[in-house]
Amino acid sequence: MADAPPLVGFVDRIGLDALYGCGAADAVSSARALVVGAGGVGCELVKNLGCAGFSHITLIDLDTMDVSNLNRQFRFRRAHVHRAKAEVAARAVESMVEGLEVEGLVG
């Protein structure tokens, strides 16, 4: 069985380069992304960017978790209530994607 191609996030480097041109995998993994909002859409977006190969993401959200958020923001749990969304989301997504660094910023 042949060795698996090296991964960037969950995407293999060869596939990224084949789709988008030589050097695409390196460009994606060295790029920095900024996401504003760690709610339902923002949290999912950070996960998807990490899975696509981004390795440095800054996540900004000034809000804290409320019980009413739990039914639509599936990365959060009851233990996260009253904690900063950006911090909790950053740790949750980092635990899913090896080598991903997410900086959670709060106001």
Side-chain angles (χ1 to χ4, degrees), residues 19-101:
L19 282 172
Y20 301 109
C22 185
D26 289 333
V28 167
S29 69
S30 65
R32 298 186 69 89
L34 171 65
V35 176
V36 178
V41 174
C43 195
E44 188 67 14
L45 178 62
V46 171
K47 181 211 41 127
N48 290 343
L49 289 171
C51 291
F54 284 81
S55 58
H56 303 285
I57 301 170
T58 301
L59 176 60
I60 299 173
D61 197 309
L62 306 179
D63 201 7
T64 57
M65 279 303 302
D66 187 69
V67 173
S68 65
N69 300 132
L70 297 177
N71 67 328
R72 62 185 180 278
Q73 297 173 1
F74 61 90
R75 299 254 180 269
F76 301 114
R77 303 289 180 255
R78 185 169 288 279
H80 300 141
V81 171
H82 303 299
R83 291 180 53 200
K85 284 183 182 182
E87 297 271 334
V88 173
R91 299 301 76 79
V93 175
E94 280 180 337
S95 71
M96 296 176 62
V97 182
E98 185 178 334
L100 177 61
E101 295 176 20

